[in-house]
């Protein structure tokens, strides 16, 4: 072999070493990565921006919410009469009982220690874009809340969100609320201070469906279907 031929051969080998091959592990990892989830347009519309609200709501990034917690009609045989709200605390669902063994189901978040009240009560009244007043014991635990002792003005940063439904046991305020949240990624988790939180778009929908004095049942353990 001549020196020229040897140099040509080495150059060809060098060029071959720069070529992309199917054995490149980085490319293999990229090609095997799962595709981004495709969100049903039905749900994209359900959780779209709501610019008509007093404080315009942005769209929900549904990639950060487990689809099982999207608002949906489900089979729900129960002894409760239609129109009743049932909070299934362990499973993080709120049901609005409908006719024919069905219910409209919403995903919820609950308190870190669990929604520690259970039983039967009623929705005494509702408020759109309510003020939030932290209880004195909460302020004692979180002194940074002192500026809101007399209430926080409504808005996107208000912990009660776009709507609040106030739970009373007889004529006694239980201090618990069903309310909206901007932190939609917390739905299905135990993170709040004790109330039942829904995606703002969901709590707006719920508040429009239930009148004052709607009965509510809060299930705490393994009571099963009400």
């Amino acid at each position: 072999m001549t020196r020229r031929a040897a140099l040509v051969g080495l150059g060809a080998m060098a060029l071959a070493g720069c070529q992309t091959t199917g054995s490149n592990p980085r490319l293999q990892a990229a090609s095997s990565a799962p595709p981004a989830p495709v969100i049903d347009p039905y749900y994209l519309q359900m959780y779209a921006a709501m610019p008509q609200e007093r404080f315009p709501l942005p769209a929900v990034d549904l990639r950060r919410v487990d689809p099982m917690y999207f608002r949906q009609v489900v089979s729900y045989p129960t002894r409760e009469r239609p129109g009743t709200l049932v909070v299934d605390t362990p499973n993080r669902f709120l049901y609005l009982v409908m006719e024919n063994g069905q219910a409209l189901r919403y995903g919820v978040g609950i308190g870190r220690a669990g929604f520690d009240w259970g039983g039967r009560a009623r929705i005494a009244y509702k408020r759109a874009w309510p003020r939030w007043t932290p209880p004195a014991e909460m302020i004692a635990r979180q002194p940074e809340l002192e500026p809101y002792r007399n209430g926080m003005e409504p808005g996107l940063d208000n912990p009660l969100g776009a709507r609040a439904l106030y739970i009373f046991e007889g004529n006694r305020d239980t201090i618990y609320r069903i309310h909206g949240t901007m932190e939609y990624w917390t739905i299905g988790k135990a993170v709040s201070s004790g109330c039942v939180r829904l995606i703002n778009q969901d709590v707006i929908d719920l508040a429009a469906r239930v009148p004052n004095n709607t009965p509510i049942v809060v299930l705490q353990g393994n009571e099963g279907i009400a």
Side-chain angles (χ1 to χ4, degrees):
M1 180 183 293
T2 66
R3 182 173 183 275
R4 176 182 174 82
L7 290 173
V8 170
L10 288 171
M13 290 174 64
L15 287 174
C18 292
Q19 291 177 348
T20 299
T21 68
S23 61
N24 187 312
R26 184 175 299 175
L27 291 175
Q28 281 185 327
S31 64
S32 62
V38 177
I39 306 296
D40 188 327
Y42 172 78
Y43 291 113
L44 292 175
Q45 180 60 35
M46 180 180 291
Y47 294 104
M50 302 184 75
Q52 74 279 12
E53 280 289 315
R54 177 182 172 188
F55 300 95
L57 285 170
V60 176
D61 183 355
L62 293 179
R63 296 171 300 178
R64 302 184 67 185
V65 182
D66 189 321
M68 72 184 295
Y69 296 118
F70 294 172
R71 186 196 324 159
Q72 55 194 288
V73 175
V74 298
S75 175
Y76 191 69
T78 177
R79 294 185 296 275
E80 303 298 340
R81 66 177 177 82
T84 301
L85 296 178
V86 180
V87 178
D88 181 350
T89 304
N91 293 306
R92 315 293 197 258
F93 292 125
L94 183 151
Y95 296 89
L96 172 57
V97 179
M98 302 167 63
E99 302 278 358
N100 303 315
Q102 293 188 310
L104 184 56
R105 189 180 76 186
Y106 304 82
V108 303
I110 62 168
R112 284 181 291 269
F115 184 67
D116 57 11
W117 177 85
R120 293 180 177 271
R122 64 188 177 95
I123 302 300
Y125 57 92
K126 304 172 290 180
R127 292 287 184 269
W129 294 104
R131 288 174 61 87
W132 174 65
T133 304
E137 58 270 22
M138 181 181 291
I139 296 174
R141 293 195 306 268
Q142 299 174 257
E144 68 273 16
L145 298 178
E146 180 62 39
Y148 308 116
R149 183 176 292 276
N150 295 317
M152 176 190 283
E153 291 297 318
L156 296 181
D157 294 330
N158 187 298
L160 292 183
R163 303 288 187 275
L165 288 68
Y166 295 75
I167 302 175
F168 276 57
E169 194 173 23
N171 293 321
R172 181 183 67 85
D173 187 350
T174 66
I175 312 300
Y176 293 117
R177 316 284 184 241
I178 297 171
H179 65 84
T181 181
M182 287 292 292
E183 298 176 344
Y184 47 79
W185 54 89
T186 66
I187 297 303
K189 300 177 174 62
V191 293
S192 71
S193 295
C195 294
V196 177
R197 55 168 60 185
L198 286 76
I199 296 172
N200 274 318
Q201 281 83 343
D202 279 345
V203 81
I204 290 171
D205 179 84
L206 176 65
R209 294 176 185 272
V210 299
N212 291 348
N213 293 313
T214 290
I216 179 171
V217 182
V218 177
L219 307 178
Q220 268 298 338
N222 299 316
E223 296 98 326
I225 294 177

